[in-house]
Amino acid sequence: MSQARTRYSSVAIALHWAIALLILSMIPMGLWMTSAIDNPDSQALAYRVFQIHKSIGFLILALTAVRIVWRLTHRPPALPGTMKRWEAFAAGATHVAFYALLLALPLTGWLYVSAGWAVSQDRALEVATSWFGLFPIPHLPGVAELSTQMRRALAFQAMGAHSLMAWGAVVLIVLHVGAALKHQFVDRDGVLGHMVPGLKAGHADEPAASAPSPVWAERAAGVALVLAVAVAGAIAARPYALTEGQLAEIAPAPVVVAAQPKPEAPITPGAAAAWTIDAAASSIRFTGTHAGKRFEGRFDKWEGHVWFDPSDLAGSKAVVLVQTASARTGDPTQEGSLQGAEWFDPAQYPVARFEATRFRSLGGDRYEAAGDLRIKTTTIPVVLPFRFSEAGGVAKVDGALELDRTALDLGMASDAAADWVSKMIGVRIEVSARRAS
């Protein structure tokens, strides 16, 4: 008898154990993070574990799809003929149930994330997904366009099904391991050797004790079991209905945006001396806290138009245009979330604009520039204190201020109370420029 008939293929064995290890890591991870995310002391770590949990879930989904295709195109080793009919039926149904769970668990998790609602806090929470920080994974299409009530209900039911199926997976794992050990140490039929290299595998030519069950019956039983668990979890997790007042409190009405961004207003030059900014030696950075942990970010793409002379403050002016899609924090999930409609929304509003038209001296090398900052459709007055020094025709400018993100309509659907992202965001500007010819 060939080894191909008595063992699974090397690819099948590798996929089996890779998926098994990933699933075993997900169970304690899921149990810990769901409680730790509400604790301020562990919130930052729980946030990162959530991102790892999502990435592993998508990896399991991909590996399971490969495993199913491989299973359908490669014949597995036969079960021992000495197995009772009900045992063979249970083995087949359990395998199908495992496959169904390994597909349904990541898909319900994906649906939950796409709904943009935190079940534990019963509030909107939009978080992007990045696969191990390598590339973004979009939300499921159509979910974001649903009403707030529908997204809330969908999130509760998706998480209910996800949680109950996770416990169902624990039960199946216990049964699967128990059955494997029984075959190895009680029946001694070599079934465990089909999947464990180094163990003696059983023979596939032993006569069957009874006629095998139809394959369709095993598959139907396995899928029906998973569907029953998922539906039970979804029904049990149905949320209570919200009144109009409650809905308004926890989920502010979405901002209606224009179909097309308005073109940028032309830049009118100032009367003072013009300067050319050295982009390589200049930066716009921002700081704040997220989940109790400090973060630092920057804008990679921006341009500044400056006319400034300490002896002609009345004729001084500055216009800074920032490409909001270029915001970087070093955390792909944060960067992905900043692209969302409730944050910078660069798809609709690609440019933030600061225009300073009023300058005054604060003594010595200290000055301040007053003007307007526009992000999306919101414009607020801003005063930027800065230091200015010049040597050899090269000027150095260093300024800092704090901005109230809630006044700029940033993150107001998910985090209006600043439970996750700090309300005040520090901004620091460092500029090196030469006098224009």
Side-chain angles (χ1 to χ4, degrees):
M1 180 162 324
S2 67
Q3 186 175 355
R5 294 286 304 279
T6 60
R7 290 187 188 277
Y8 283 95
S9 66
S10 299
V11 172
I13 291 174
L15 287 170
H16 173 276
W17 289 111
I19 294 172
L21 291 174
L22 291 173
I23 286 290
L24 291 175
S25 72
M26 291 285 269
I27 295 171
M29 195 184 304
L31 290 173
W32 177 82
M33 70 186 188
T34 50
S35 58
I37 198 69
D38 294 324
N39 185 343
D41 295 334
S42 56
Q43 195 176 61
L45 179 59
Y47 161 78
R48 299 192 177 280
V49 172
F50 257 109
Q51 311 320 312
I52 296 173
H53 187 85
K54 290 191 292 182
S55 295
I56 293 177
F58 281 108
L59 179 57
I60 290 173
L61 180 62
L63 291 178
T64 300
V66 174
R67 178 71 181 95
I68 291 174
V69 171
W70 189 267
R71 170 66 178 80
L72 294 175
T73 55
H74 293 76
R75 182 182 176 185
L79 294 173
T82 55
M83 285 183 67
K84 297 180 177 61
R85 182 173 181 177
W86 70 267
E87 288 181 312
F89 178 86
T94 300
H95 275 86
V96 173
F98 262 125
Y99 287 134
L101 276 175
L102 293 175
L103 293 174
L105 276 169
L107 289 174
T108 51
W110 194 1
L111 183 60
Y112 171 70
V113 171
S114 301
W117 198 274
V119 166
S120 62
Q121 299 171 332
D122 199 7
R123 54 181 286 187
L125 183 61
E126 182 68 34
V127 180
T129 299
S130 172
W131 193 75
F132 291 111
L134 299 177
F135 55 83
I137 295 179
H139 292 332
L140 289 171
V143 178
E145 286 72 34
L146 298 175
S147 67
T148 302
Q149 288 276 30
M150 291 183 66
R151 288 191 296 108
R152 175 176 178 264
L154 191 62
F156 270 87
Q157 293 182 299
M159 180 50 66
H162 188 80
S163 299
L164 197 58
M165 285 193 297
W167 285 111
V170 172
V171 173
L172 282 183
I173 289 171
V174 171
L175 291 175
H176 187 63
V177 172
L181 294 177
K182 172 182 177 294
H183 281 288
Q184 180 67 19
F185 298 107
V186 178
D187 300 336
R188 300 180 183 275
D189 52 18
V191 168
L192 190 59
H194 292 171
M195 188 57 74
V196 179
L199 293 181
K200 182 180 179 181
H203 297 294
D205 57 350
E206 296 174 350
S210 57
S213 302
V215 174
W216 65 264
E218 297 175 356
R219 294 174 180 173
V223 172
L225 176 62
V226 174
L227 284 176
V229 173
V231 170
I235 292 175
R238 284 185 301 179
Y240 60 87
L242 293 176
T243 64
E244 291 296 332
Q246 290 174 319
L247 185 61
E249 289 179 4
I250 63 176
V255 177
V256 178
V257 298
Q260 295 293 332
K262 294 181 180 180
E264 279 298 317
I267 298 174
T268 303
W275 296 83
T276 300
I277 293 177
D278 181 357
S282 305
S283 65
I284 299 178
R285 298 182 176 274
F286 55 92
T287 61
T289 60
H290 175 238
K293 184 178 180 180
R294 177 182 170 83
F295 68 83
E296 297 184 1
R298 69 185 187 279
F299 291 101
D300 282 345
K301 296 181 180 179
W302 60 276
E303 61 183 79
H305 306 267
V306 180
W307 298 267
F308 180 78
D309 189 335
S311 61
D312 185 13
L313 295 181
S316 297
K317 184 177 181 179
V319 178
V320 179
L321 304 176
V322 178
Q323 302 290 328
T324 54
S326 70
R328 299 291 180 265
T329 66
D331 184 320
T333 304
Q334 292 175 350
E335 294 173 1
S337 297
L338 288 175
Q339 311 300 311
E342 67 171 301
W343 291 92
F344 286 133
D345 194 11
Q348 290 284 352
Y349 307 102
V351 177
R353 178 173 179 144
F354 172 60
E355 184 164 344
T357 55
R358 301 178 302 279
F359 289 77
R360 73 186 185 99
S361 173
L362 300 179
D365 63 350
R366 296 183 301 115
Y367 300 84
E368 69 176 21
D372 295 323
L373 172 64
R374 189 206 70 222
I375 297 179
K376 296 191 292 189
T377 60
T378 303
T379 301
I380 63 171
V382 168
V383 176
L384 171 65
F386 66 93
R387 290 181 179 274
F388 172 87
S389 61
E390 181 184 1
V394 176
K396 299 291 185 181
V397 175
D398 185 353
L401 75 161
E402 282 197 327
L403 296 175
D404 181 351
R405 67 169 179 82
T406 63
L408 288 162
D409 187 30
L410 296 176
M412 294 303 289
S414 297
D415 196 23
D419 294 326
W420 284 90
V421 180
S422 56
K423 179 181 178 181
M424 303 306 295
I425 302 297
V427 178
R428 188 172 190 86
I429 299 173
E430 295 181 350
V431 173
S432 177
R434 286 185 174 273
R435 287 185 179 270
S437 58

